[in-house]
Amino acid sequence: MAQEIGSTKHAVPQVAGFDVVAPLSSRTLFWRPRFLRDSAALGHLPFLFWLIDTLRPKSFVTLGGDDGVMHFALCQAVEKLDLDARGYGFGPWSPEAGAPAAVPADLHAYNDEHYPDLSRLSASHPQAATASFPQGSVDLLALRLDGNVPAAELGDWLQRDWLQRMSDRGVLVLHGVNRALEQGGSDGVVARLMAAHPNFLFDAGEGLLLLLIGGQPDDRLARLCLISLGDAGYAG
């Protein structure tokens, strides 16, 4: 079911060949993540490294991931590639009893030690965080679908608020989509996003979905979204 939905194609530039992962950029696929924890996102970090190298974002935002793995992987790639970019991470981190919501001390310390000028973390709900960004200002938005951000909430605040913040070349990455696709079927919010935007689905693990939101997508990412199961280059 997920693969059938993921293979839906859209009007993106037709370019001969599927040399999506060129030799000069494929080195990013073999970088070792510095921030390692037991996280469902670990298996998709090589692709996120490659995505940063391909998209070269000026700004990226992570939402809902309380373990920091995705956010710090994006920070690592930006730093290693020496990009002029800023990252922002928002999570509804559960406070200790009687205390206000706050970024966990270990994530705060790691961020301050390794990425003080690159990254900012905030214990804000993803819906409220949109006020910090003008329209068209976010190149990459990465969201983990888990207990903190259930798929049922996406329909309102993601499509109404966050997608308006995406730039002309904006990319949305959703991690943990397999369960959302199984539970929501073709009428679920994830499936509706896939029907509306060029996309590529990695169904391994909990599933990672890339969607091209902006009207002027990166050419290589557009070609990636043209590849279907069985095509030359699919396994690349």
Side-chain angles (χ1 to χ4, degrees):
M1 166 76 144
Q3 186 58 53
E4 291 176 357
I5 297 174
S7 64
T8 301
K9 300 305 167 190
H10 300 259
V12 292
Q14 297 284 341
V15 181
F18 292 109
D19 55 331
V20 176
V21 184
L24 290 179
S25 63
S26 61
R27 68 188 188 281
T28 59
L29 296 170
F30 301 97
W31 287 349
R32 177 178 174 81
R34 289 200 296 252
F35 187 82
L36 290 173
R37 287 190 171 179
D38 184 14
S39 170
L42 286 175
H44 296 294
L45 297 190
F47 174 75
L48 294 181
F49 289 155
W50 177 86
L51 178 60
I52 290 290
D53 192 16
T54 300
L55 183 62
R56 303 269 166 154
K58 293 292 186 182
S59 64
F60 66 90
V61 176
T62 59
L63 303 176
D66 58 5
D67 60 19
V69 170
M70 286 181 61
H71 182 80
F72 289 135
L74 297 176
C75 290
Q76 178 183 341
V78 165
E79 181 187 60
K80 194 172 181 69
L81 293 165
D82 195 24
L83 303 181
D84 181 15
R86 294 295 179 269
Y88 306 87
F90 299 94
W93 286 288
S94 300
E96 297 179 1
V103 177
D106 56 341
L107 299 185
H108 187 277
Y110 188 89
N111 191 76
D112 281 358
E113 178 181 357
H114 294 277
Y115 308 112
D117 299 322
L118 163 61
S119 167
R120 294 290 182 270
L121 299 179
S122 175
S124 301
H125 190 280
Q127 183 176 2
T130 57
S132 302
F133 301 90
Q135 291 192 1
S137 64
V138 178
D139 291 328
L140 174 61
L141 178 65
L143 169 63
R144 279 191 60 186
L145 301 180
D146 54 20
N148 289 329
V149 185
E153 293 185 11
L154 288 178
D156 288 332
W157 59 261
L158 179 58
Q159 297 188 79
R160 181 192 63 217
D161 299 325
W162 274 107
L163 296 193
Q164 303 302 315
R165 269 66 181 178
M166 304 295 289
S167 70
D168 287 341
R169 60 195 189 101
V171 172
L172 172 63
V173 173
L174 300 178
H175 180 265
V177 295
N178 286 350
R179 179 179 297 179
L181 287 169
E182 292 173 0
Q183 294 177 345
S186 60
D187 295 326
V189 61
V190 175
R192 295 199 301 272
L193 284 168
M194 294 173 75
H197 302 282
N199 64 82
F200 190 85
L201 173 64
F202 297 88
D203 56 7
E206 294 188 357
L208 185 79
L209 176 65
L210 176 142
L211 300 113
L212 305 184
I213 304 301
Q216 300 177 9
D218 174 84
D219 178 71
R220 185 172 294 174
L221 295 178
R223 283 185 282 156
L224 176 66
C225 292
L226 289 172
I227 300 177
S228 298
L229 181 64
D231 287 340
Y234 182 87

